[in-house]
Amino acid sequence: MGLSAYRAVCALVFLASAAVAPSVWAHAHLKQPTPAANSVVNAPQRITLAFSEGVEPGFSGVVITNAQQQVIKTGAVKRDEQDKALLIVPLEHALAAGTYQVDWHVVSVDGHKTKGSYSFSVK
């Protein structure tokens, strides 16, 4: 392979990686859930999910289930007014002792979708 062909291949690889990399980085990843994953806590009044970037609450959602797979009633999921990366999920009733799973899905402000889940326990 000649020097000019080698440079062309290198330039092409660079442009392809530069085009793909921003879309990989542009996803809202869960940074800090409260209660924390795998934690044992007193019954919380709400669940908060802090993401790596802003999220659209109208296209995002959270489902909380107990160990018997019963869905826990929550208030409307809303975004913190000062922090577009923080979702707040108010709980309608105090959680009883047991293990709970939080399943979430969000759409970041730039339109990318992510989802995940974690669990915590109430003492």
Side-chain angles (χ1 to χ4, degrees), residues 23-108:
S23 65
V24 171
W25 297 333
H27 291 63
H29 298 285
L30 183 60
K31 287 175 38 179
Q32 182 61 49
T34 304
N38 303 315
S39 63
V40 178
V41 299
N42 292 322
Q45 295 180 336
R46 65 184 187 170
I47 306 293
T48 59
L49 304 173
F51 291 92
S52 58
E53 65 180 76
V55 296
E56 293 291 346
F59 299 104
S60 303
V62 177
V63 175
I64 303 166
T65 53
N66 63 16
Q68 292 75 36
Q69 301 302 312
Q70 297 168 319
V71 175
I72 304 303
K73 290 185 180 183
T74 66
V77 175
K78 58 185 176 181
R79 184 173 60 186
D80 185 278
E81 291 181 20
Q82 283 77 40
D83 185 354
K84 292 182 179 184
L86 184 64
L87 280 185
I88 301 167
V89 185
L91 299 172
E92 288 190 4
H93 305 288
L95 297 178
T99 301
Y100 295 87
Q101 179 164 321
V102 178
D103 294 301
W104 57 267
H105 68 276
V106 296
V107 174
S108 61

